[in-house]
């Protein structure tokens, strides 16, 4: 049963839409847990504070009755399914609640052999958007409090799921703030662009929250933690910070699905998704490649082709 959405009138989604999605998720989750289709399910439960949500692994139909979907369901739950999170997938086939942007990460992780499609039951959400970081929270989701990524989402009607909760959301006509900011920075002279990023990188405290939340930062030993020999200075000083951000951007180029979780959790408000998007744009222009649209074993930066453009090598 699909929940029917309110039309996005005046960029405003009513709470009743999220309630209907919640109901559909609960019904489906109870069914697949009762039938034994899955051993557990990663979804959202209410947080301790009113109006919040928290990720949870549930294993019983009784717990499934408490699942929610609300604008506070910001986390990309695919991060719990990588091999580095030992234990979750060992339980057996796992259900997962996924927004469209989370599904891009799932496709990427399938391509990188972190998870197998047959080990998942995907309950996708026809998504009406989630709250932005620090945005004023109200009963309704509006253009003023929705996450920046949702302002120009192209994947909120998910495809390839086992079940879709909700339907007919319309997120068209919103102001693409991030695209505008990217165009502004691209138009700056090189020295000013460098000054922009230098200032942002200088505020990085190397808490590594952006790494911990990223579904694609699953290496058991991160190059940036290695100290014998040390590849990247680990204390928050300018040279090490710049190196860390270059390593992060390059390791995620062609893999990042754009969930913007890294930017959401950054305590220093560094616009990491601008870098992610810029790298994605390069990949699209150079290789006509977009990460996360379908499982792909290797992106353009991790495969060799004889017809690759070599002209930049002098
Ligand atoms: S980016 Fe799209 S799929 Fe992701 S939370 Fe926003 S509206 Fe939903
Ligand atoms: S979350 Fe922000 S402050 Fe922390 S390491 Fe990443 S960029 Fe730096
Ligand atoms: S780099 Fe950021 S936006 Fe990209 S997949 Fe990782 S957390 Fe998501």
């Amino acid at each position: 049963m699909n929940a029917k959405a309110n039309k996005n009138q005046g960029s405003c989604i009513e709470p009743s839409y999220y309630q209907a999605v919640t109901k559909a998720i609960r019904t489906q989750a109870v069914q697949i847990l009762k039938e034994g289709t899955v051993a557990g399910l990663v979804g959202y439960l209410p947080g301790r504070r009113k109006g919040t949500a928290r990720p949870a692994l549930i294993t019983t139909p009784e717990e499934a009755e408490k699942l929610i979907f609300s604008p506070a369901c910001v986390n990309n739950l695919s991060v719990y399914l990588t091999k580095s999170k030992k234990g979750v997938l060992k339980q057996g086939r796992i259900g997962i609640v996924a927004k469209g942007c989370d599904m891009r990460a799932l496709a990427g992780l399938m391509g990188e052999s972190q998870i197998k499609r047959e080990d998942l039951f995907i309950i996708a959400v026809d998504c009406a958007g989630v709250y932005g970081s620090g945005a004023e929270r109200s009963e309704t989701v509006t253009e003023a409090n929705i996450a920046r990524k949702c302002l120009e989402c192209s994947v909120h009607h998910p495809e390839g799921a086992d079940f879709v909760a909700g339907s007919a959301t319309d997120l068209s006509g919103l102001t693409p703030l991030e695209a505008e900011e990217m165009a502004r920075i691209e138009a700056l002279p090189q020295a000013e662009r460098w000054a922009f990023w230098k200032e942002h990188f200088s505020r990085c405290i190397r808490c590594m929250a952006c790494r911990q939340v990223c579904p694609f930062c699953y290496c058991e030993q991160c190059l940036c933690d290695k100290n014998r020999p040390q590849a990247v200075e680990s204390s928050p000083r300018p040279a090490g910070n710049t190196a860390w951000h270059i390593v992060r951007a390059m390791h995620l180029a062609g893999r990042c699905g754009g969930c913007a979780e890294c930017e959401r959790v950054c305590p220093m408000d560094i616009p990491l998704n601008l870098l992610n998007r810029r790298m994605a744009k390069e990949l699209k222009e150079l290789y006509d490649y977009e990460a996360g649209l379908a499982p792909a074993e290797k992106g353009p930066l991790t495969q060799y082709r004889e017809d690759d453009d070599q002209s930049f090598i002098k």
Side-chain angles (χ1 to χ4, degrees):
M1 182 187 69
N2 271 348
K4 224 22 182 178
N6 290 332
K7 181 103 172 129
N8 183 21
Q9 290 157 339
S11 310
C12 179
I13 306 283
E14 295 299 328
S16 58
Y17 181 62
Y18 294 89
Q19 287 156 11
V21 169
T22 294
K23 194 170 167 211
I25 290 173
R26 284 181 185 170
T27 305
Q28 186 63 26
V30 167
Q31 186 183 328
I32 57 177
L33 281 161
K34 267 191 182 157
E35 288 169 348
T37 308
V38 295
L41 182 137
V42 187
Y44 305 95
L45 290 177
R48 275 190 293 126
R49 281 175 292 118
K50 190 170 179 282
T52 61
R54 64 183 171 91
L57 171 65
I58 60 156
T59 54
T60 66
E62 292 72 32
E63 289 174 302
E65 296 281 9
K66 297 179 191 147
L67 288 167
I68 59 163
F69 190 79
S70 76
C73 294
V74 291
N75 309 67
N76 180 349
L77 302 178
S78 68
V79 73
Y80 297 107
L81 298 185
T82 58
K83 286 180 184 165
S84 63
K85 306 282 187 303
K86 298 180 178 74
V88 176
L89 283 173
K90 275 193 185 153
Q91 310 218 7
R93 192 177 179 199
I94 289 290
I96 183 167
V97 176
K99 307 180 288 291
C101 50
D102 308 337
M103 286 193 65
R104 291 186 75 157
L106 288 175
L109 292 173
M110 284 176 216
E112 296 185 11
S113 303
Q114 287 291 307
I115 44 181
K116 293 185 186 142
R117 181 65 184 88
E118 59 267 30
D119 290 341
L120 291 183
F121 187 100
I122 303 174
I123 299 181
V125 175
D126 193 311
C127 186
V130 294
Y131 291 134
S133 295
E136 191 188 329
R137 298 193 172 193
S138 63
E139 285 291 297
T140 51
V141 175
T142 67
E143 193 162 352
N145 63 12
I146 201 168
R148 281 162 68 107
K149 64 178 177 179
C150 307
L151 291 171
E152 47 199 300
C153 174
S154 60
V155 290
H156 64 102
H157 297 306
E159 288 175 11
D162 296 291
F163 177 81
V164 178
S167 66
T169 53
D170 177 6
L171 291 178
S172 58
L174 305 179
T175 307
L177 293 179
E178 209 167 54
E180 289 176 2
E181 176 70 346
M182 196 159 90
R184 184 187 74 78
I185 294 163
E186 283 175 341
L188 293 174
Q190 193 178 19
E192 286 180 41
R193 276 208 308 274
W194 174 234
F196 173 88
W197 285 112
K198 207 169 145 191
E199 190 281 318
H200 281 300
F201 293 163
S202 72
R203 290 184 290 106
C204 175
I205 54 172
R206 306 293 284 284
C207 64
M208 297 313 205
C210 52
R211 182 182 67 185
Q212 294 312 108
V213 82
C214 178
F216 295 101
C217 277
Y218 54 70
C219 298
E220 294 202 2
Q221 166 79 75
C222 176
L223 173 77
C224 298
D225 289 339
K226 216 167 156 39
N227 55 12
R228 286 189 189 175
Q230 187 173 60
V232 175
E233 188 188 14
S234 54
S235 51
R237 292 195 294 198
N241 282 5
T242 303
W244 155 239
H245 284 280
I246 290 172
V247 167
R248 198 195 73 85
M250 291 306 296
H251 279 189
L252 292 160
R255 302 169 67 222
C256 165
C259 66
E261 282 287 85
C262 46
E263 182 170 310
R264 177 180 70 82
V265 299
C266 177
M268 302 310 291
D269 212 15
I270 298 171
L272 296 171
N273 210 39
L274 279 182
L275 267 187
N276 301 337
R277 288 187 58 153
R278 175 65 208 187
M279 297 304 279
K281 190 176 169 191
E282 290 285 335
L283 268 285
K284 177 74 180 158
E285 284 171 6
L286 287 171
Y287 303 102
D288 195 24
Y289 180 81
E290 282 182 75
L293 295 185
E297 193 183 339
K298 287 186 174 172
L301 297 190
T302 47
Q303 63 176 303
Y304 171 77
R305 290 202 334 232
E306 291 207 348
D307 61 346
D308 277 343
D309 180 11
Q310 313 283 346
S311 61
F312 68 98
I313 301 173
K314 305 278 183 220

